[in-house]
């Protein structure tokens, strides 16, 4: 029995474990039908041309993880941004960890989605937004079918979250191979503001496959800053599906820092549904060994006077492979659109590779749109100049690569997150750059 057959046959048993009277019951039932029809994506599909899932789908994954394996804070402390006070929603092997989490309903709502569904006040919000942005593609549908526990963040009208929110998923290795399918729902009502940090982290050498879905809704003049830190173990794979619907004058930004994992696929989709919207997509990728990262982005402009900015930097060494497939669609009504897209890459090994495909589909005639990509090596003349000034070659390379990615880092709005990312970059480059990053 292959993984698809195992999942389809396990769905009935899963439904018997959860509340069949819940609103999401009908949504799950429709979703499993979509997955059963489409199955897992293959390289025959254009969007997956350069990313094959065969190597990670052959594992015998456990669909239903064992009971929560208690972790102490000291065991996972290094994965938290603990330099600042934050709300926390923590999951261990797919199960909510109450003793590691810090939730709230004081002014804003930061809690477990399944718990919120039991309360009429929050259930109405979930019913209005759950699965309203996610696509009907096979992997988001698979997540929807098996969705049971996930983070629920609701920022009411005119509220500013008093501190950032961390969403962390840990895998302990209780199973020989584990399949996790977390679900996040973030709703920022009119004139609200929230900052969120998300991380998936395996604590084991056992294979882990995470198929995650996050839906984000920004109402009028809302601001959402989202930071994804991806620096997992060599046997952990992540398929991250993020869908963002924006209303007029809202600002949504997603920064993706991809530094590790066996295979990482980021599907990031922005849907603009009003005027004077700003969508920001930025990322830094640094890979080595045989790691693979695929960024697949979409920004859909449907109303006039909106902007989008995409800036992705990639550094690839050893036998690492990267993919960037970015699409901007500007509909006929979306006049005065300003859309920018750039993907710049450095190959520091002859065996590393990158496949990049920026795309524009423009149906309006009064727009300002640009896109482009570059693939190259480090500037030898700059490297030589730095060495003549007494900087060792290894450190000189690191400084050049750090400078290459710095314009993405400069837009990070949480200083403690910026500091953590800088430290991760220095560690990834294998140097002590010699000053406080």
């Amino acid at each position: 029995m292959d993984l698809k057959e195992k999942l389809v046959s396990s769905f009935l048993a899963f439904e018997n474990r959860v509340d069949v009277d819940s609103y999401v019951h009908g949504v799950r039932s429709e979703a499993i039908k979509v997955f059963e029809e489409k199955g897992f994506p293959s390289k025959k599909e254009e969007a997956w041309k350069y990313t094959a899932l065969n190597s990670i789908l052959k594992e015998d994954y456990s669909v239903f993880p064992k009971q929560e394996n208690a972790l102490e804070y000291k065991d996972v402390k290094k994965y938290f941004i603990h330099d600042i006070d934050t709300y926390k929603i923590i999951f261990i092997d797919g199960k909510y960890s109450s003793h590691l989490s810090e939730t709230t309903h004081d002014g804003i709502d930061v809690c477990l989605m399944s718990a919120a569904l039991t309360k009429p006040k929050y259930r109405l919000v979930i019913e209005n937004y759950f699965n309203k942005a996610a696509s009907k593609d096979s992997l988001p549908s698979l997540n929807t079918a098996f969705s049971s526990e996930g983070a629920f963040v609701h920022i009411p009208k005119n509220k500013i979250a008093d501190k950032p929110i961390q969403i962390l998923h840990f895998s302990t290795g209780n199973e020989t191979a584990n399949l996790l399918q977390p679900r996040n729902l973030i709703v920022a009502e009119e004139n609200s503001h929230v900052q969120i940090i998300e991380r998936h982290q395996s604590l084991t050498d056992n294979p882990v496959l995470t198929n995650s879905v996050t839906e984000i809704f920004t109402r009028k003049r809302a601001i959402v800053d989202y930071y994804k830190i991806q620096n997992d173990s060599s046997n952990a794979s992540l398929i991250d599906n993020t869908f963002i619907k924006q209303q007029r004058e809202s600002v949504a930004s997603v920064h993706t820092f991809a530094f590790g994992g066996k295979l990482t696929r980021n599907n990031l989709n922005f849907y603009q549904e009003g005027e004077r919207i700003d969508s920001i997509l930025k990322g830094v990728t640094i890979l080595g060994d045989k790691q693979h990262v695929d960024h697949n982005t979409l920004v859909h402009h449907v109303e006039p006077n909106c902007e989008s900015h995409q800036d992705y930097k990639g550094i690839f060494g050893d036998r690492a492979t990267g993919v960037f497939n970015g699409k901007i669609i500007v509909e006929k009504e979306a006049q005065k659109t300003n859309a920018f897209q750039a993907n710049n890459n450095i190959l520091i090994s002859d065996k590393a590779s990158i496949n990049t495909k920026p795309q524009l589909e423009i149906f309006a005639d009064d727009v300002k749109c640009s896109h482009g990509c570059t693939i190259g090596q480090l500037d030898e003349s700059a490297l030589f100049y730095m060495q003549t000034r007494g900087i060792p070659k290894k450190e000189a390379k690191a400084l050049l690569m750090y400078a290459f990615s710095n314009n993405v880092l400069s837009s990070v709005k949480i200083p403690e997150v910026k500091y953590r990312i800088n430290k991760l970059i220095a560690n990834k480059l294998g140097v002590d750059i010699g000053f406080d990053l």
Side-chain angles (χ1 to χ4, degrees):
M1 180 184 297
D2 63 18
L3 184 56
K4 176 189 172 182
E5 293 171 339
K6 181 177 181 178
L7 288 165
V8 172
S9 63
S10 300
F11 177 72
L12 183 59
F14 168 78
E15 279 284 73
N16 289 334
R17 288 167 167 245
V18 294
D19 182 10
V20 295
D21 296 324
S22 167
Y23 157 76
V24 297
H25 170 68
V27 179
R28 290 193 195 104
S29 298
E30 289 301 316
I32 195 64
K33 293 176 184 177
V34 173
F35 174 72
E36 186 174 11
E37 177 185 349
K38 295 185 175 182
F40 288 100
S42 71
K43 295 182 71 173
K44 294 179 181 179
E45 301 175 36
E46 183 64 26
W48 292 82
K49 184 176 180 179
Y50 300 107
T51 299
L53 299 180
N54 296 343
S55 62
I56 63 174
L57 297 181
K58 65 183 181 181
E59 301 288 347
D60 185 20
Y61 293 105
S62 172
V63 179
F64 306 121
K66 295 176 182 176
Q67 293 298 314
E68 175 186 327
N69 181 32
L71 291 175
E72 298 298 327
Y73 178 69
K74 62 181 177 61
D75 299 325
V76 293
K77 178 181 178 180
K78 65 180 180 179
Y79 301 112
F80 288 82
I81 308 292
H82 50 76
D83 304 323
I84 51 173
D85 188 21
T86 62
Y87 295 112
K88 302 173 185 66
I89 310 178
I90 312 303
F91 299 88
I92 302 173
D93 293 333
K95 300 295 184 181
Y96 176 66
S97 173
S98 58
H99 74 282
L100 289 179
S101 298
E102 181 185 338
T103 60
T104 184
H105 291 296
D106 184 14
I108 65 174
D109 301 306
V110 181
C111 63
L112 183 65
M113 195 186 310
S114 59
L117 272 170
T118 64
K119 301 178 181 180
K121 174 184 175 181
Y122 308 119
R123 184 172 64 240
L124 182 60
V125 175
I126 294 174
E127 290 179 1
N128 286 336
Y129 290 102
F130 181 81
N131 210 43
K132 297 299 192 298
S135 72
K136 300 302 185 287
D137 293 332
S138 61
L139 292 174
S141 295
L142 175 62
N143 176 283
T144 300
F146 284 90
S147 60
S148 60
E149 294 198 17
F152 174 60
V153 176
H154 178 233
I155 313 299
K157 183 177 179 179
N158 299 323
K159 291 287 185 179
I160 298 177
D162 57 327
K163 51 188 177 181
I165 300 165
Q166 294 192 71
I167 303 174
L168 281 82
H169 298 267
F170 294 108
S171 177
T172 63
N174 273 353
E175 309 282 355
T176 304
N178 215 354
L179 173 62
L180 304 176
Q181 304 205 70
R183 184 76 173 226
N184 303 320
L185 177 62
I186 290 92
V187 180
E189 301 285 3
E190 185 176 336
N191 294 319
S192 66
H193 184 188
V194 65
Q195 296 175 317
I196 299 174
I197 307 154
E198 179 190 79
R199 182 164 185 165
H200 300 267
Q201 187 65 50
S202 175
L203 308 175
T204 175
D205 291 330
N206 293 347
V208 178
L209 172 58
T210 301
N211 176 38
S212 175
V213 170
T214 299
E215 294 181 289
I216 302 173
F217 296 86
T218 61
R219 308 285 292 191
K220 289 191 296 182
R221 294 180 297 276
I223 302 174
V224 173
D225 294 319
Y226 209 98
Y227 301 95
K228 296 176 180 286
I229 301 175
Q230 300 169 346
N231 187 33
D232 218 335
S233 67
S234 59
N235 283 325
S237 298
L238 170 66
I239 300 172
D240 185 273
N241 306 280
T242 300
F243 304 91
I244 302 176
K245 280 195 173 185
Q246 294 183 250
Q247 291 191 349
R248 62 180 301 161
E249 299 176 55
S250 65
V251 180
S253 65
V254 176
H255 288 69
T256 305
F257 299 100
F259 301 143
K262 182 177 181 178
L263 181 149
T264 304
R265 165 79 176 214
N266 290 301
N267 298 314
L268 183 54
N269 304 272
F270 281 72
Y271 304 102
Q272 298 186 342
E273 300 180 337
E275 295 190 44
R276 294 181 292 279
I277 289 172
D278 195 1
S279 303
I280 301 164
L281 305 77
K282 296 194 175 187
V284 176
T285 300
I286 304 178
L287 296 185
D289 298 325
K290 295 181 180 180
Q291 297 170 326
H292 178 93
V293 168
D294 182 344
H295 297 289
N296 193 285
T297 70
L298 167 68
V299 180
H300 195 174
H301 293 268
V302 297
E303 297 285 347
N305 303 304
C306 293
E307 298 188 8
S308 66
H309 303 270
Q310 299 187 55
D311 191 3
Y312 283 79
K313 305 288 189 180
I315 300 172
F316 302 90
D318 299 324
R319 295 176 179 269
T321 57
V323 181
F324 177 80
N325 189 354
K327 179 182 288 188
I328 298 172
I329 301 175
V330 182
E331 298 291 355
K332 184 178 180 180
E333 296 78 11
Q335 304 293 341
K336 304 293 184 181
T337 290
N338 180 8
F340 169 82
Q341 181 188 88
N343 175 229
N344 305 111
N345 304 280
I346 292 178
L347 301 180
I348 55 176
S349 165
D350 293 337
K351 296 180 180 179
S353 63
I354 172 74
N355 295 284
T356 179
K357 184 182 178 184
Q359 303 174 70
L360 288 176
E361 294 183 11
I362 303 174
F363 302 98
D365 53 15
D366 185 9
V367 301
K368 183 181 179 181
C369 298
S370 63
H371 73 299
C373 64
T374 60
I375 303 172
Q377 289 78 40
L378 289 174
D379 187 336
E380 291 296 332
S381 59
L383 193 60
F384 175 75
Y385 176 82
M386 295 174 72
Q387 289 180 268
T388 63
R389 296 303 184 268
I391 301 175
K393 185 175 183 179
K394 184 177 181 181
E395 282 72 17
K397 283 184 175 181
L399 284 169
L400 287 175
M401 288 186 283
Y402 175 76
F404 172 73
S405 59
N406 189 53
N407 65 325
V408 172
L409 295 173
S410 64
S411 63
V412 175
K413 297 179 181 178
I414 305 176
E416 292 81 3
V417 172
K418 183 184 294 187
Y419 180 80
R420 173 63 65 91
I421 297 301
N422 279 322
K423 297 291 284 185
L424 287 173
I425 289 176
N427 182 64
K428 193 71 177 177
L429 298 178
V431 295
D432 180 2
I433 292 179
F435 57 87
D436 190 3
L437 295 175

